Structure formats: structure tokens, C-alpha cells
Amino acid sequence: IAGITQAPTSQILAAGRRMTLRCTQDMRHNAMYWYRQDLGLGLRLIHYSNTAGTTGKGEVPDGYSVSRANTDDFPLTLASAVPSQTSVYFCASSDQGGHTGELFFGEGSRLTVL
Amino acid sequence: GQNIDQPTEMTATEGAIVQINCTYQTSGFNGLFWYQQHAGEAPTFLSYNVLDGLEEKGRFSSFLSRSKGYSYLLLKELQMKDSASYLCAVRLTSGTYKYIFGTGTRLKVLA
């Protein structure tokens, strides 16, 4: 089934550890995004990429990095995790040349930093 | 900065009609989106408006007024399965496409 796959689904991590959340899409969408979702704060954009080889900062980029080596993959790295990064992380993609360009979301990665 | 406002929570009765409002103040507007998110799940796309007016899709309709920075999502013939959060999002463009979300409206449908 075509779509977006995120891994891991859930992870508990000690503060100070490095963590990479993986995201792969098979829809050949040009744009990809990482959001975090926290109670009362909604979805906040961390980083985005409009095409392979380019990335940009969103609303809350500090403490996170991304890369876009190819169209399909968009990993999110926490270099040194802190408890405030405990959240649910959603990866999304969109076809910016399509009719509406709506976002398609992965199932989310629940991260707990202790 | 960007600002998108929605009510935090709404309650309605099965079979009724409910209107969820969204106001926005953003730069580089390039479309307004509504998503539905059930608890513990990913958001799914409901509707899209880029021009003023009403877009109808079955029991769901969405309205946009760009001059007022205002949109609403109208849900008719409410069903229990419509209990979910509804997220308003604006697509920005200033050379790149970014989507900024409101905090979402949690809708409870009562029997």
C-alpha cells in the first residue's frame, strides 16, 4: 500500500542520547515535512524539504536536524535529546504540483525522553 | 508571525449540524486546509479552499473568505464517528511551501 512509513512507532530515550526518526514515502512527492504534536499546542512544523537536496527551518527547529538525500527519505535527527522533546512526531509529504497539494501523514512516532 | 485561531472544544448532538470556525493572520496565503484527526491516529485530509466561497463534499463543507481571514468547516448529519479533532491549516508561500496549523478543535458528538 502506497504511503508514508515512519519508524520507530514508539521509543523511550535517555536524555543526552542521539536519536534518528526515519520517514520514507513511495508516492514520489516532492515535498516532505516533520511536525511535532503536543497537547494544547497542535502540530508545529520542525523542518521541511521542498525537493531532494534542499531543506528549510520551520517554527521549532532548534535541537533537530534533517537531510534529504533523495526523494523518498527524510530522516529527523535529535543530536542530544532533552525531556522537552518528548512528543508525537509526524512525517508528512505533499505533491506540490498536484491539484490541491494536501499533506499525507505517516502514523506518527511517539518519543519519550527521560 | 503566523496566527491561526480555532475554538478548543465543541459539543454537538448526533444528527445535528455543527460549524467549526477558523481565523488566520498569515503571510503569503496559498490555500486553507481542513484535516480530521481521531485520537491516537494521524491527521487525514478533509477539504481545501484557495478561492472565496463554499466547497461541498458530502456531509462536509468548507467556506473561505480571504478578505476576512476566515474559514469554517460545516459538518451535517453528525454521526458518532465524527467525534475527533479538526485541524485548520494555512499553506504559506514565499518561494517555498509551508503548512502552519491551528491548535485544533476537539468535537464531541453525543447520542
Side-chain angles (χ1 to χ4, degrees), chain A residues 33 35 37 39-43 45 48 50 57-59 90 94 96 99-103 105-107, chain B residues 2 30 33 35 37 40-45 48 87 91 95-104 106:
Chain A
Y33 307 82
Y35 289 88
Q37 188 171 39
L39 197 62
L41 297 176
L43 284 162
L45 182 64
Y48 65 95
N50 283 311
K57 293 181 179 180
E59 303 167 273
F90 286 101
S94 70
Q96 292 301 337
H99 173 59
T100 62
E102 76 267 28
L103 292 172
F105 286 87
E107 290 303 309
Chain B
Q2 323 293 349
N30 190 255
F33 296 77
Y35 291 83
Q37 185 179 25
E41 298 183 6
T44 55
F45 170 70
Y48 163 73
L87 315 179
R91 181 169 60 194
T96 59
Y97 288 109
K98 293 191 289 188
Y99 300 74
I100 304 299
F101 283 78
T103 54
R106 189 163 59 247

Side-chain angles (χ1 to χ4, degrees), chain A residues 1-2 9-10 15 17 26 29-30 32 61 63 69 74 83 87 96 99-101 103-104 110 113:
Chain A
I1 299 176
T9 304
S10 180
R17 298 297 295 269
D26 60 5
H29 286 172
N30 52 339
M32 296 187 75
F74 191 46
S87 187
Q96 292 301 337
H99 173 59
T100 62
L103 292 172
F104 292 79
R110 182 176 295 276
V113 183

Side-chain angles (χ1 to χ4, degrees), chain B residues 25-101:
Chain B
Q25 288 179 298
T26 61
S27 56
F29 177 88
N30 190 255
L32 188 137
F33 296 77
W34 285 95
Y35 291 83
Q36 180 189 61
Q37 185 179 25
H38 286 100
E41 298 183 6
T44 55
F45 170 70
L46 283 179
S47 70
Y48 163 73
N49 296 71
V50 67
L51 300 175
D52 291 353
L54 189 68
E55 293 285 339
E56 297 188 82
K57 207 187 233 186
R59 295 190 298 115
F60 292 49
S61 304
S62 58
F63 172 83
L64 175 67
S65 168
R66 289 172 296 171
S67 62
K68 295 182 179 177
Y70 169 69
S71 173
Y72 67 71
L73 179 69
L74 194 71
L75 292 76
K76 304 174 189 173
E77 301 169 16
L78 280 173
Q79 302 175 10
M80 299 299 289
K81 67 179 182 179
D82 297 329
S83 291
S85 289
Y86 291 86
L87 315 179
C88 173
V90 171
R91 181 169 60 194
L92 311 176
T93 178
S94 54
T96 59
Y97 288 109
K98 293 191 289 188
Y99 300 74
I100 304 299
F101 283 78

